[in-house]
Amino acid sequence: GSVNLIVGAVVKLKEVKNIPATRTMAVSAEGKVTVSPDTASVNFSVITEAKTAKEAQTQNTDKMNKVIEYVKSIGVDPKDIKTTSYYLYPKYEYPSGKSILVGYTLTNSISVRVFKFEVIGDLIAKSVELGINQIGDVNFFVNNHDDAKTQAGQLAIQNARQKASALARHAGVKISRVVSITESVGELPPYYSIAKDAFGGGGGGGAPQLTPGTQEIKLIENIIFEIK
């Protein structure tokens, strides 16, 4: 883990009714853990244009159903497939300033959560073949941060105690007990990476190469020590 010292101070508090003054030292330190993503999400859309709303819906549903069935066939749990939007809207043209209805556009979007990263490239390539014509973000992230947060917090506390000990030696005092601990989170957002040519050329291309990278989980511990 790494350490960022934010504050190191000795504060003398006011004496009250002959009680010895309490002196404290406030130290903040960071604990950082690097983790590899264990989950990915891919956003797919089928956009269909047709003369009538019924035609647009029929064509769109046929393509999306094929995509969903394929996604299930490679082992994705149905609960990890979610419809995120479904928009049907008319398309107009305006010759000579007049509004003329020329057809309908239907956009049907789903989000697929994947735990086996090795299938993502083929999933994208095959989905395009089946009718997907828009692909959004491919996001890689850590599904459960709890273990990493615990480890980062322990590192931050260890770093803060070491820094407080060093400051105390320089000040000629000794650390006694911990008066208080407060914690703040400094996580980076989910990391995603798409190869430059991942979706180039439309359908029929090879499977894109995607890289999940890593993510840093950061915690800052703010600790007040009593000193003597």
Side-chain angles (χ1 to χ4, degrees):
S2 60
V3 181
N4 289 330
L5 176 62
I6 298 174
V7 177
V10 176
V11 180
K12 183 175 181 180
L13 302 183
K14 187 177 180 181
E15 292 187 9
V16 180
K17 295 183 179 179
N18 298 320
I19 298 176
T22 300
R23 294 186 301 170
T24 60
M25 174 183 292
V27 176
S28 295
E30 179 186 88
K32 182 170 62 177
V33 177
T34 301
V35 294
S36 297
D38 56 16
T39 309
S41 67
V42 187
N43 297 317
F44 297 111
S45 296
V46 175
I47 303 173
T48 307
E49 294 185 353
K51 292 292 184 180
T52 67
K54 184 176 181 180
E55 288 175 329
Q57 186 177 48
T58 299
Q59 295 174 23
N60 191 291
T61 299
D62 180 64
K63 292 178 180 179
M64 184 59 81
N65 283 349
K66 288 179 180 178
V67 171
I68 291 175
E69 288 306 312
Y70 170 72
V71 172
K72 291 178 181 177
S73 75
I74 62 173
V76 175
D77 194 310
K79 68 179 176 58
D80 293 320
I81 305 170
K82 180 176 69 175
T83 298
T84 56
S85 65
Y86 192 93
Y87 294 116
L88 175 67
Y89 49 94
K91 182 180 180 181
Y92 294 93
E93 291 183 356
Y94 301 90
S96 302
K98 295 182 179 180
S99 175
I100 299 177
L101 177 65
V102 295
Y104 290 84
T105 301
L106 176 60
T107 301
N108 185 3
S109 303
I110 63 172
S111 175
V112 179
R113 189 166 58 170
V114 182
F115 300 97
K116 296 180 180 179
F117 294 168
E118 64 271 16
V119 307
I120 296 176
D122 289 335
L123 169 61
I124 291 172
K126 182 64 176 179
S127 295
V128 171
E129 291 179 16
L130 294 174
I132 290 292
N133 50 13
Q134 180 173 293
I135 299 176
D137 292 338
V138 180
N139 290 309
F140 295 93
F141 55 94
V142 179
N143 189 48
N144 188 343
H145 298 83
D146 290 348
D147 290 343
K149 284 182 177 178
T150 298
Q151 186 177 354
Q154 292 172 345
L155 285 172
I157 291 173
Q158 177 182 333
N159 294 337
R161 186 175 291 276
Q162 291 175 351
K163 188 59 64 172
S165 297
L167 287 170
R169 285 196 300 271
H170 287 302
V173 296
K174 292 183 179 180
I175 292 176
S176 180
R177 64 187 180 90
V178 173
V179 176
S180 70
I181 299 178
T182 58
E183 182 177 87
S184 57
V185 180
E187 292 179 49
L188 294 179
Y191 175 88
Y192 64 91
S193 175
I194 304 178
K196 290 182 180 180
D197 60 346
F199 310 122
Q209 298 296 315
L210 306 179
T211 56
T214 58
Q215 181 181 357
E216 289 184 340
I217 306 299
K218 299 178 182 178
L219 284 179
I220 297 173
E221 300 289 351
N222 307 291
I223 306 178
I224 297 177
F225 296 92
E226 182 182 354
I227 58 176
K228 296 180 178 181

